[in-house]
Amino acid sequence: MPDASAQPTTDADRAIPGPLAGYTTLRTGGPAERIVAAGSADELVHAVRAAAEPVLILAGGSNVVIGDAGFPGTVVLVRSRGMRVIAEDATSVTVRVDAGEPWDDLVAATVANGWAGLECLSGIPGSTGATPIQNVGAYGQEVAETITGVEVYDRVEGTRQVIPAAECGFAYRGSIFKYMDRWVVLSVDFRLARSPLSGPVRYAELARALGVEVGEQVPLADARAVVLRLRAGKGMVLDATDPDTRSVGSFFTNPVLDRATYEQLLERSAELGDPPAWPGADGLVKVSAAWLIDKAGFAKGHPGEGGVAISSKHTLALTNRSGTAHTSDLLTLARTISDQVHARFGVTLHPEPVLINCTL
């Protein structure tokens, strides 16, 4: 691997002015002391090594909420691009993708090439390097199912290494990378099946939209097209003309409850009917956060102060509907929702995006 101590002269050596709002899909966030851009893995390593702490790594900005005060340090923009096959056989290919590669560009390329495994993750905004951090998932697929390794720069050891998938701590919308700034993702390796068909469709809503039964397979292009349509209908595909897409997607994760807490929820919600739920291992049950929010009195389109609102298309998305809202306005709405859900159902909602220089 390249020497992590290399010091190329790059865009990362030139500061970029401007507030951080312009680098996030939510379009909120104050200024940084310094913003620099890195166009390759080597440049990214150099930029991080050269910057005084604190340092924030920012790529697509689709899963981050930045406080109105901004960030009191250097923000490094990940702008590396590229994907290449590094291994293949008769049934699979392994593709290495630079961290800054736009995620949906990658998904489109895999579908076009007849590589299955990412098709149900179509339309998700952001960069490829962010996907292992969040263990991005949708419509029955998660990136943890196809990732074989993540190349990182270890800021503690000052070295580059590949962390095997088994050591990434993948969990529901989480990994070892999510709440630790030790590792900077440089590239991600995905092992994909050579197949004109999708994996077995696991998600009931997607199966209905495709006109198939759960467990059936469909052409890759069909899976991608229907996922894009479903996401667009929920305001989850970026569209400059649609204020509902000025968001971070789902703001809250679906709560995962132990059996006792789930039984208490059923008692509290008896007159409303059982919430949508999915059983998991060890007696745990994942419950629909959207249902909890709606039944707690917050319908689609519910307005907050300062130009924020729940999306008119999806209860889980909190939007900068006016385009001029502040992060504090959004967090006030989020706290109001979370407090009411807890008061009504005894369930705590947790934010899905990473909060930078702000708290819920």
Side-chain angles (χ1 to χ4, degrees), residues 156-174:
V156 173
E157 300 294 335
T159 59
R160 288 169 71 161
Q161 61 179 292
V162 174
I163 300 179
E167 298 175 17
C168 290
F170 288 128
Y172 173 59
R173 300 300 176 266

Side-chain angles (χ1 to χ4, degrees), residues 24-312:
T24 70
T25 56
L26 190 56
R27 295 294 182 252
T28 67
E33 289 186 4
R34 187 167 183 257
I35 305 175
V36 298
S40 69
D42 287 347
E43 293 178 13
L44 182 52
V45 170
H46 169 58
V48 173
R49 288 172 61 92
E53 294 291 343
V55 177
L56 172 64
I57 312 301
L58 188 62
S62 62
N63 198 53
V64 64
V65 179
I66 299 174
D68 295 320
F71 184 73
T74 298
V75 173
V76 179
L77 302 176
V78 182
R79 296 296 182 258
S80 53
R81 296 288 298 269
M83 61 183 84
R84 56 202 176 278
V85 173
I86 60 170
E88 57 184 319
D89 56 31
T91 62
S92 70
V93 297
T94 299
V95 59
R96 178 164 295 164
V97 189
D98 287 334
E101 184 70 24
W103 174 252
D104 196 52
D105 288 0
L106 168 62
V107 178
T110 63
V111 169
N113 282 305
W115 302 336
L118 304 179
E119 60 279 354
C120 293
L121 303 176
S122 294
I124 295 175
S127 69
T128 297
T131 62
I133 297 172
Q134 185 74 5
N135 186 18
V136 163
Y139 295 103
Q141 286 184 338
E142 288 183 337
V143 293
E145 299 170 327
T146 55
I147 289 176
T148 61
V150 181
E151 184 190 6
V152 299
Y153 171 61
D154 186 332
R155 296 168 68 180
V156 173
E157 300 294 335
T159 59
R160 288 169 71 161
Q161 61 179 292
V162 174
I163 300 179
E167 298 175 17
C168 290
F170 288 128
Y172 173 59
R173 300 300 176 266
S175 70
I176 62 171
F177 311 113
K178 185 168 183 179
Y179 296 113
M180 295 182 65
D181 59 4
R182 173 175 177 173
W183 297 285
V184 179
V185 176
L186 303 177
S187 67
V188 187
D189 293 349
F190 300 89
R191 187 173 186 268
L192 306 170
R194 291 185 183 273
S195 173
L197 299 179
S198 70
V201 177
R202 303 170 183 165
Y203 203 77
E205 179 189 15
L206 178 58
R208 287 193 299 269
L210 285 163
V212 301
E213 297 296 323
V214 171
E216 291 186 41
Q217 295 175 275
V218 299
L220 290 174
D222 291 355
R224 174 171 167 77
V226 172
V227 167
L228 287 172
R229 175 167 60 81
L230 289 173
R231 289 186 63 85
K234 299 174 182 178
M236 298 291 188
V237 176
L238 292 181
D239 180 350
T241 67
D242 184 356
D244 277 334
T245 69
R246 287 195 289 267
S247 76
V248 289
S250 297
F251 191 89
F252 296 106
T253 59
N254 290 322
V256 178
L257 310 179
D258 60 34
R259 177 55 60 175
T261 306
Y262 178 61
E263 294 295 337
Q264 291 172 5
L265 169 61
L266 294 182
E267 291 179 8
R268 290 192 181 206
S269 63
E271 75 278 12
L272 301 172
D274 292 349
W278 302 268
D282 302 320
L284 298 177
V285 181
K286 183 167 66 175
V287 177
S288 168
W291 187 93
L292 294 171
I293 292 168
D294 180 70
K295 299 306 181 184
F298 301 93
K300 295 174 184 176
H302 181 92
E305 300 295 329
V308 301
I310 293 177
S311 167
S312 66

Side-chain angles (χ1 to χ4, degrees), residues 3-35:
D3 180 3
S5 66
Q7 297 188 356
T9 301
T10 70
D11 285 344
D13 296 303
R14 295 186 288 276
I16 302 171
L20 294 173
Y23 300 103
T24 70
T25 56
L26 190 56
R27 295 294 182 252
T28 67
E33 289 186 4
R34 187 167 183 257
I35 305 175

